[in-house]
Amino acid sequence: MRIPLKIVSGLAQISLLVVLAIIIWLVLHRPPNIPPDVYPYLNTISPSLVKQCVQENQKSPHIAYEDLLAIHSTIPKNEAQMLIDQLQDNITMSDLNWGMLPADTIKAIRRHREILKEYSYYHPNKYTFPVAGTTWYEDSYGADREGGARRHEGTDLFGKEGTSIISICGGEIEQLGWNRLGGERVGVRGDDGNYYYYAHLQYISPKLVKGERIEAGEFIGGMGHTGDALTTPDHLHFGIELPNGEWTNPYPFLAVWHMWERGEKS
């Protein structure tokens, strides 16, 4: 039996539309491309260096904070001073005399400056420390969990049960309530695109509503040990999932935000 040409043509058009729809959906839902050098670089920056650059910026506001941190975090102090002196004389970054610095080093400084301008985690008071009270924590990112079945994808901040937990930034509440691992947990899609995960809460603020907005510093709940933390001391598990679905180590950022919270800018 011969299929009429009109039917064949119609089926071809429908197939083409389906393929185009699939392609468009894939493009729209494709995870953002995060350059592989961004977070490895950010994770190497110490709170003390951030504090030093903030202090230098306060003394010389005409020098961009990102310029100072990019230089100091890339080259030794004696080499950095030559460049800082030029910035003090109102020479722009693009017009610096780099002296005998290798081309790869100059390229690294410029790249680090780009990263710091785009990712503002270390800008003073841009983000809020999530624990409003006494806490202690260490870098346990990547440690084994469940006998090595999975890795620890966050930082545990320990404190007294019920200690207030607050949102580190503004965003939308994507997850709210109980799950097996996190217990009472809240997930916030930050304005920066990252997903911020607050787990093992004793309770969640009844004011929070899934799908609604939350602001930086807004109360999330009380510190606890729900979920798979029943046998551990009370703590907040805090995680950062990037827009591309990868988790990154929150510890370096928390250390800087804690410094701001303690008022250690100067």
Side-chain angles (χ1 to χ4, degrees), residues 229-249:
L230 284 174
T231 59
T232 65
D234 296 296
H235 69 279
L236 167 71
H237 170 94
F238 179 75
I240 302 176
E241 184 184 37
L242 306 178
N244 65 358
E246 297 177 2
W247 293 85
T248 191
N249 187 358

Side-chain angles (χ1 to χ4, degrees), residues 82-104:
M82 174 191 71
L83 303 178
I84 302 300
D85 288 342
Q86 294 180 63
L87 294 175
Q88 290 280 9
D89 291 335
N90 291 310
I91 297 175
T92 63
M93 195 79 162
S94 59
D95 292 330
L96 287 178
N97 176 2
W98 298 95
M100 301 297 291
L101 286 178
D104 287 348

Side-chain angles (χ1 to χ4, degrees), residues 12-258:
Q13 290 177 358
I14 292 172
S15 298
L16 179 60
L17 289 174
V18 170
V19 171
L20 287 174
I22 292 173
I23 292 173
I24 292 171
W25 188 93
L26 290 173
V27 169
L28 292 175
H29 293 82
R30 182 174 55 196
N33 179 32
I34 300 176
D37 62 335
V38 171
Y39 287 91
Y41 165 61
L42 292 174
N43 286 341
T44 65
I45 301 175
S46 69
S48 60
L49 186 57
V50 172
K51 180 178 179 180
Q52 173 190 332
C53 292
V54 168
Q55 291 172 337
E56 290 185 16
N57 175 254
Q58 289 173 340
K59 294 177 182 177
S60 304
H62 66 283
I63 304 178
Y65 166 76
E66 296 89 352
D67 294 357
L68 292 166
L69 190 51
I71 292 170
H72 281 302
S73 63
T74 310
I75 57 178
K77 184 176 181 179
N78 61 325
E79 295 179 350
Q81 194 58 53
M82 174 191 71
L83 303 178
I84 302 300
D85 288 342
Q86 294 180 63
L87 294 175
Q88 290 280 9
D89 291 335
N90 291 310
I91 297 175
T92 63
M93 195 79 162
S94 59
D95 292 330
L96 287 178
N97 176 2
W98 298 95
M100 301 297 291
L101 286 178
D104 287 348
T105 301
I106 299 170
K107 182 179 179 181
I109 293 173
R110 287 172 170 161
R111 174 57 182 152
H112 292 164
R113 180 174 181 263
E114 292 175 357
I115 292 173
L116 292 167
K117 281 185 170 294
E118 184 173 355
Y119 300 86
S120 56
Y121 300 111
Y122 296 135
H123 283 234
N125 303 318
K126 178 77 173 181
Y127 292 82
T128 302
F129 189 67
V131 180
T134 302
T135 184
W136 59 96
Y137 54 100
E138 60 184 19
D139 189 358
S140 60
Y141 186 80
D144 286 346
R145 292 292 187 269
E146 295 183 324
R150 60 185 179 86
R151 293 190 316 143
H152 190 224
E153 294 181 321
T155 296
D156 291 337
L157 300 101
F158 295 88
K160 183 179 179 181
E161 185 177 33
T163 299
S164 294
I165 305 302
I166 60 178
S167 182
I168 61 107
C169 67
E172 180 182 320
I173 300 171
E174 281 195 0
Q175 297 295 336
L176 192 67
W178 180 273
N179 73 7
R180 182 183 71 83
L181 293 177
E184 296 291 353
R185 93 314 189 187
V186 175
V188 175
R189 179 66 60 182
D191 293 333
D192 57 11
N194 291 340
Y195 177 76
Y196 296 102
Y197 183 60
Y198 308 79
H200 308 316
L201 301 173
Q202 179 191 35
Y203 65 94
I204 296 172
S205 169
K207 295 181 179 181
L208 301 188
V209 178
K210 187 175 180 179
E212 292 194 356
R213 183 164 179 82
I214 190 171
E215 300 298 340
E218 188 172 340
F219 179 66
I220 284 179
M223 182 182 292
H225 57 269
T226 56
D228 71 345
L230 284 174
T231 59
T232 65
D234 296 296
H235 69 279
L236 167 71
H237 170 94
F238 179 75
I240 302 176
E241 184 184 37
L242 306 178
N244 65 358
E246 297 177 2
W247 293 85
T248 191
N249 187 358
Y251 179 83
F253 310 123
L254 286 166
V256 171
W257 302 340
H258 200 190

